[in-house]
DNA sequence: CGTCTTTGACCGGCGC
DNA sequence: GCGCCGGTCAAAGACG
């Protein structure tokens, strides 16, 4: 369970966006840390891949000012998203936050539906999507959007961790 | 009784 | 404009 690996890709080519990409990378690190810290009762959990999608550049401020004010890159700045793939039997990956499911859609070219979750902490608008690859149904893709504005709340993590240890030390 | 799922409706973007 | 596609809303229900 100690072994996990994250590969960054896709962000190096998009030049600029220096600081924000660093923030995104930090966010990914924190997430991967939490995930690697356990909380899965499933056997094999491994982060294979992490990807930064888009960059965040205080777009709300820019929009509010209304001034073009260097719309820089003037591309539509999509919200900061980052995704990674995990190989797991179950798609409920408890990363220590409380999520409320608010939607599920079937996507084209994928026989598995995509689930939409939102963080239930008051004022915290972090969202995540979970979908499974039809190509390899062992792989679950988790896409996070935004950063949590509160510390992780995970009353069950210790329990899960100890449970995992029990499973490790007492193979039947 | 509060919390979280379920599920169709709804809506906006985009290609034709 | 129209219809597809992906994301969200919200009412109703499940569950502890």
């Amino acid at each position: 369970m100690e072994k996990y690996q994250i590969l960054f890709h896709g962000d190096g080519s998009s030049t600029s966006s220096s600081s924000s990409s660093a923030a995104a990378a930090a966010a990914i690190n924190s997430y991967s840390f939490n995930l690697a810290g356990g909380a899965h009762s499933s056997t094999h959990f491994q982060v294979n891949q992490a990807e930064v999608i888009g960059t965040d550049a205080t777009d709300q401020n820019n929009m509010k000012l209304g001034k073009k004010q260097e719309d820089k890159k003037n591309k539509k700045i999509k919200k900061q998203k980052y995704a990674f793939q995990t190989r797991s039997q179950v798609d409920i990956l408890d990363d220590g936050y409380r999520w409320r499911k608010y939607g599920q859609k079937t996507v084209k070219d994928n026989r598995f539906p995509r689930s939409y979750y939102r963080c239930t902490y008051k004022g915290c608008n972090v969202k995540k999507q979970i979908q499974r690859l039809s190509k390899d149904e062992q792989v679950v893709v988790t896409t996070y959007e935004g950063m949590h504005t509160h510390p992780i709340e995970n009353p069950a993590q210790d329990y899960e961790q100890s449970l995992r240890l029990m499973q490790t030390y007492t193979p039947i």
Side-chain angles (χ1 to χ4, degrees):
Chain A
M1 185 62 66
E2 312 84 26
K3 48 171 63 173
Y4 62 97
Q5 182 179 4
I6 302 181
L7 303 175
F8 291 95
H9 64 83
D11 196 20
S13 60
S14 68
T15 66
S16 65
S17 72
S18 55
S19 60
S20 58
S21 67
I28 284 188
N29 281 329
S30 71
Y31 274 119
S32 62
F33 180 79
N34 291 333
L35 288 165
H40 303 290
S41 56
S42 69
T43 53
H44 299 316
F45 170 71
Q46 183 175 4
V47 176
N48 300 335
Q49 206 171 32
E51 177 178 3
V52 178
I53 303 171
T55 58
D56 184 13
T58 66
D59 48 352
Q60 289 186 355
N61 290 336
N62 288 337
M63 288 176 62
K64 203 157 196 177
L65 289 175
K67 302 181 159 208
K68 42 189 63 174
Q69 177 194 11
E70 76 193 88
D71 344 275
K72 53 170 73 176
K73 292 60 174 200
N74 72 12
K75 57 172 136 180
K76 295 201 103 149
I77 303 166
K78 300 193 172 189
K79 291 196 173 137
Q80 168 183 331
K81 286 189 188 172
Y82 30 92
F84 52 86
Q85 301 181 356
T86 69
R87 189 171 291 275
S88 170
Q89 320 284 347
V90 295
D91 34 4
I92 302 117
L93 302 177
D94 187 4
D95 49 9
Y97 293 97
R98 297 176 56 215
W99 302 95
R100 176 183 112 252
K101 188 175 188 176
Y102 67 91
Q104 172 169 320
K105 283 296 265 190
T106 61
V107 282
K108 210 174 166 252
D109 293 335
N110 195 337
R111 52 201 163 107
F112 299 103
R114 174 184 298 165
S115 299
Y116 302 91
Y117 295 87
R118 201 193 301 274
C119 183
T120 60
Y121 191 88
K122 172 195 152 176
C124 183
N125 263 3
V126 178
K127 292 180 260 188
K128 76 170 175 181
Q129 303 178 1
I130 298 199
Q131 70 181 359
R132 199 173 275 273
L133 294 184
S134 62
K135 197 68 184 263
D136 183 357
E137 69 175 76
Q138 297 245 0
V139 176
V140 176
V141 182
T142 305
T143 304
Y144 285 93
E145 175 176 334
M147 289 182 59
H148 293 278
T149 62
H150 58 96
I152 193 170
E153 57 170 313
N154 194 356
Q157 177 147 354
D158 290 338
Y159 168 74
E160 293 268 0
Q161 207 154 359
S162 56
L163 178 66
R164 217 179 58 246
L165 287 176
M166 283 179 58
Q167 289 178 345
T168 299
Y169 288 129
T170 64
I172 297 175

